[in-house]
mmCIF file of all heavy atoms in Angstrom:
data_model
loop_
_atom_site.group_PDB
_atom_site.id
_atom_site.type_symbol
_atom_site.label_atom_id
_atom_site.label_comp_id
_atom_site.label_asym_id
_atom_site.label_seq_id
_atom_site.Cartn_x
_atom_site.Cartn_y
_atom_site.Cartn_z
ATOM 1 N N HIS A 75 65.942 18.066 -1.105
ATOM 2 C CA HIS A 75 67.269 17.452 -0.936
ATOM 3 C C HIS A 75 67.936 17.761 0.385
ATOM 4 O O HIS A 75 69.141 17.637 0.526
ATOM 5 C CB HIS A 75 68.224 17.780 -2.109
ATOM 6 C CG HIS A 75 68.465 19.264 -2.099
ATOM 7 N ND1 HIS A 75 67.553 20.158 -2.702
ATOM 8 C CD2 HIS A 75 69.496 19.992 -1.719
ATOM 9 C CE1 HIS A 75 68.092 21.401 -2.523
ATOM 10 N NE2 HIS A 75 69.248 21.310 -1.941
ATOM 11 N N GLY A 77 67.023 16.762 3.973
ATOM 12 C CA GLY A 77 66.107 16.099 4.873
ATOM 13 C C GLY A 77 66.751 15.282 5.937
ATOM 14 O O GLY A 77 67.916 14.894 5.887
ATOM 15 N N VAL A 98 70.584 11.839 8.474
ATOM 16 C CA VAL A 98 70.469 12.899 7.570
ATOM 17 C C VAL A 98 70.738 12.454 6.194
ATOM 18 O O VAL A 98 71.569 11.469 6.022
ATOM 19 C CB VAL A 98 71.478 14.006 8.038
ATOM 20 C CG1 VAL A 98 71.629 15.117 6.895
ATOM 21 C CG2 VAL A 98 71.109 14.697 9.254
ATOM 22 N N LEU A 99 70.060 12.969 5.185
ATOM 23 C CA LEU A 99 70.197 12.467 3.839
ATOM 24 C C LEU A 99 71.273 13.365 3.109
ATOM 25 O O LEU A 99 71.209 14.558 3.221
ATOM 26 C CB LEU A 99 68.942 12.527 3.092
ATOM 27 C CG LEU A 99 67.700 11.824 3.776
ATOM 28 C CD1 LEU A 99 66.556 11.673 2.810
ATOM 29 C CD2 LEU A 99 68.062 10.480 4.335
ATOM 30 N N SER A 100 72.180 12.731 2.370
ATOM 31 C CA SER A 100 73.139 13.440 1.629
ATOM 32 C C SER A 100 72.713 13.426 0.155
ATOM 33 O O SER A 100 72.443 12.440 -0.401
ATOM 34 C CB SER A 100 74.511 12.737 1.804
ATOM 35 O OG SER A 100 75.358 13.105 0.759
ATOM 36 N N PHE A 101 72.762 14.699 -0.463
ATOM 37 C CA PHE A 101 72.298 14.740 -1.850
ATOM 38 C C PHE A 101 73.353 14.224 -2.819
ATOM 39 O O PHE A 101 73.162 14.169 -4.036
ATOM 40 C CB PHE A 101 71.730 16.113 -2.226
ATOM 41 C CG PHE A 101 72.700 17.236 -2.322
ATOM 42 C CD1 PHE A 101 73.573 17.375 -3.498
ATOM 43 C CD2 PHE A 101 72.724 18.205 -1.359
ATOM 44 C CE1 PHE A 101 74.391 18.448 -3.546
ATOM 45 C CE2 PHE A 101 73.575 19.337 -1.496
ATOM 46 C CZ PHE A 101 74.416 19.410 -2.615
ATOM 47 N N VAL A 102 74.551 13.858 -2.285
ATOM 48 C CA VAL A 102 75.542 13.130 -3.059
ATOM 49 C C VAL A 102 75.752 11.734 -2.400
ATOM 50 O O VAL A 102 76.151 11.738 -1.208
ATOM 51 C CB VAL A 102 76.902 13.849 -3.053
ATOM 52 C CG1 VAL A 102 77.959 13.034 -3.863
ATOM 53 C CG2 VAL A 102 76.686 15.259 -3.752
ATOM 54 N N PRO A 103 75.407 10.663 -3.102
ATOM 55 C CA PRO A 103 75.716 9.336 -2.495
ATOM 56 C C PRO A 103 77.235 9.217 -2.567
ATOM 57 O O PRO A 103 77.792 9.565 -3.574
ATOM 58 C CB PRO A 103 74.999 8.328 -3.478
ATOM 59 C CG PRO A 103 74.621 9.080 -4.642
ATOM 60 C CD PRO A 103 74.739 10.531 -4.384
ATOM 61 N N THR A 104 77.863 8.683 -1.559
ATOM 62 C CA THR A 104 79.280 8.499 -1.615
ATOM 63 C C THR A 104 79.653 7.002 -1.588
ATOM 64 O O THR A 104 79.418 6.312 -0.560
ATOM 65 C CB THR A 104 79.963 9.221 -0.448
ATOM 66 O OG1 THR A 104 79.420 8.753 0.815
ATOM 67 C CG2 THR A 104 79.720 10.735 -0.594
ATOM 68 N N ASN A 147 68.031 13.816 -6.934
ATOM 69 C CA ASN A 147 69.381 13.463 -6.232
ATOM 70 C C ASN A 147 69.290 12.169 -5.440
ATOM 71 O O ASN A 147 69.960 12.015 -4.392
ATOM 72 C CB ASN A 147 69.799 14.604 -5.376
ATOM 73 C CG ASN A 147 70.078 15.885 -6.062
ATOM 74 O OD1 ASN A 147 70.839 15.854 -7.029
ATOM 75 N ND2 ASN A 147 69.598 17.000 -5.624
ATOM 76 N N GLY A 148 68.411 11.233 -5.851
ATOM 77 C CA GLY A 148 68.257 10.009 -5.107
ATOM 78 C C GLY A 148 67.575 10.185 -3.777
ATOM 79 O O GLY A 148 67.483 9.317 -2.980
ATOM 80 N N LEU A 149 66.981 11.440 -3.526
ATOM 81 C CA LEU A 149 66.318 11.679 -2.209
ATOM 82 C C LEU A 149 64.871 11.987 -2.294
ATOM 83 O O LEU A 149 64.078 11.277 -1.682
ATOM 84 C CB LEU A 149 67.079 12.821 -1.552
ATOM 85 C CG LEU A 149 68.622 12.696 -1.329
ATOM 86 C CD1 LEU A 149 69.189 13.879 -0.515
ATOM 87 C CD2 LEU A 149 68.920 11.342 -0.551
ATOM 88 N N ASP A 161 74.094 4.522 0.342
ATOM 89 C CA ASP A 161 75.247 5.443 0.318
ATOM 90 C C ASP A 161 74.897 6.896 0.445
ATOM 91 O O ASP A 161 75.770 7.789 0.597
ATOM 92 C CB ASP A 161 76.092 5.199 -0.970
ATOM 93 C CG ASP A 161 76.782 3.870 -1.016
ATOM 94 O OD1 ASP A 161 76.921 3.236 0.051
ATOM 95 O OD2 ASP A 161 77.166 3.478 -2.191
ATOM 96 N N SER A 162 73.627 7.213 0.486
ATOM 97 C CA SER A 162 73.153 8.616 0.666
ATOM 98 C C SER A 162 72.854 8.863 2.131
ATOM 99 O O SER A 162 72.448 10.023 2.487
ATOM 100 C CB SER A 162 71.951 8.838 -0.126
ATOM 101 O OG SER A 162 72.103 8.644 -1.538
ATOM 102 N N LEU A 163 73.070 7.918 2.985
ATOM 103 C CA LEU A 163 72.676 8.138 4.419
ATOM 104 C C LEU A 163 73.864 8.462 5.264
ATOM 105 O O LEU A 163 74.947 7.981 5.076
ATOM 106 C CB LEU A 163 72.047 6.793 4.962
ATOM 107 C CG LEU A 163 70.759 6.415 4.308
ATOM 108 C CD1 LEU A 163 70.252 5.115 4.810
ATOM 109 C CD2 LEU A 163 69.670 7.465 4.619
ATOM 110 N N VAL A 164 73.559 9.332 6.283
ATOM 111 C CA VAL A 164 74.565 9.686 7.282
ATOM 112 C C VAL A 164 73.885 9.427 8.564
ATOM 113 O O VAL A 164 72.876 10.075 8.962
ATOM 114 C CB VAL A 164 74.925 11.211 7.183
ATOM 115 C CG1 VAL A 164 75.953 11.547 8.210
ATOM 116 C CG2 VAL A 164 75.539 11.446 5.794
ATOM 117 N N ILE A 178 71.289 20.181 8.037
ATOM 118 C CA ILE A 178 72.635 19.654 7.865
ATOM 119 C C ILE A 178 72.706 18.864 6.515
ATOM 120 O O ILE A 178 73.765 18.500 6.104
ATOM 121 C CB ILE A 178 72.995 18.761 9.039
ATOM 122 C CG1 ILE A 178 72.988 19.584 10.368
ATOM 123 C CG2 ILE A 178 74.388 18.112 8.899
ATOM 124 C CD1 ILE A 178 74.078 20.566 10.609
ATOM 125 N N GLY A 179 71.571 18.690 5.894
ATOM 126 C CA GLY A 179 71.592 17.981 4.559
ATOM 127 C C GLY A 179 72.104 18.803 3.424
ATOM 128 O O GLY A 179 72.570 18.187 2.422
ATOM 129 N N TYR A 323 78.572 21.331 -2.609
ATOM 130 C CA TYR A 323 78.374 20.682 -1.286
ATOM 131 C C TYR A 323 79.445 21.086 -0.288
ATOM 132 O O TYR A 323 79.894 20.169 0.616
ATOM 133 C CB TYR A 323 78.295 19.180 -1.457
ATOM 134 C CG TYR A 323 77.254 18.524 -0.638
ATOM 135 C CD1 TYR A 323 76.856 17.182 -0.888
ATOM 136 C CD2 TYR A 323 76.488 19.120 0.383
ATOM 137 C CE1 TYR A 323 75.879 16.502 -0.171
ATOM 138 C CE2 TYR A 323 75.563 18.556 1.100
ATOM 139 C CZ TYR A 323 75.268 17.181 0.810
ATOM 140 O OH TYR A 323 74.259 16.533 1.477
ATOM 141 N N CYS A 326 82.506 18.813 1.037
ATOM 142 C CA CYS A 326 82.433 18.083 2.309
ATOM 143 C C CYS A 326 82.488 16.614 2.127
ATOM 144 O O CYS A 326 82.234 16.086 0.991
ATOM 145 C CB CYS A 326 81.174 18.430 3.129
ATOM 146 S SG CYS A 326 79.598 17.616 2.513
ATOM 147 N N PRO A 328 80.314 13.888 3.569
ATOM 148 C CA PRO A 328 79.068 13.904 4.357
ATOM 149 C C PRO A 328 79.184 13.057 5.719
ATOM 150 O O PRO A 328 78.815 13.525 6.724
ATOM 151 C CB PRO A 328 78.044 13.266 3.431
ATOM 152 C CG PRO A 328 78.455 13.704 2.091
ATOM 153 C CD PRO A 328 79.979 13.672 2.096
ATOM 154 N N ARG A 329 79.671 11.856 5.588
ATOM 155 C CA ARG A 329 79.647 10.977 6.771
ATOM 156 C C ARG A 329 80.706 11.411 7.849
ATOM 157 O O ARG A 329 80.653 10.944 8.964
ATOM 158 C CB ARG A 329 79.915 9.525 6.416
ATOM 159 C CG ARG A 329 78.695 8.913 5.785
ATOM 160 C CD ARG A 329 78.833 7.417 5.520
ATOM 161 N NE ARG A 329 77.625 6.904 4.915
ATOM 162 C CZ ARG A 329 77.477 5.709 4.390
ATOM 163 N NH1 ARG A 329 78.420 4.853 4.499
ATOM 164 N NH2 ARG A 329 76.352 5.366 3.907
ATOM 165 N N MET A 332 79.080 15.924 8.580
ATOM 166 C CA MET A 332 77.692 16.122 9.064
ATOM 167 C C MET A 332 77.586 15.826 10.570
ATOM 168 O O MET A 332 77.076 16.593 11.268
ATOM 169 C CB MET A 332 76.644 15.424 8.207
ATOM 170 C CG MET A 332 76.517 16.067 6.849
ATOM 171 S SD MET A 332 75.355 15.239 5.847
ATOM 172 C CE MET A 332 75.491 16.186 4.264
#
Side-chain angles (χ1 to χ4, degrees):
H75 62 279
V98 167
L99 310 190
S100 162
F101 71 76
V102 176
T104 55
N147 294 313
L149 302 185
D161 290 344
S162 303
L163 294 175
V164 178
I178 299 288
Y323 222 167
C326 80
R329 285 187 183 172
M332 291 179 180

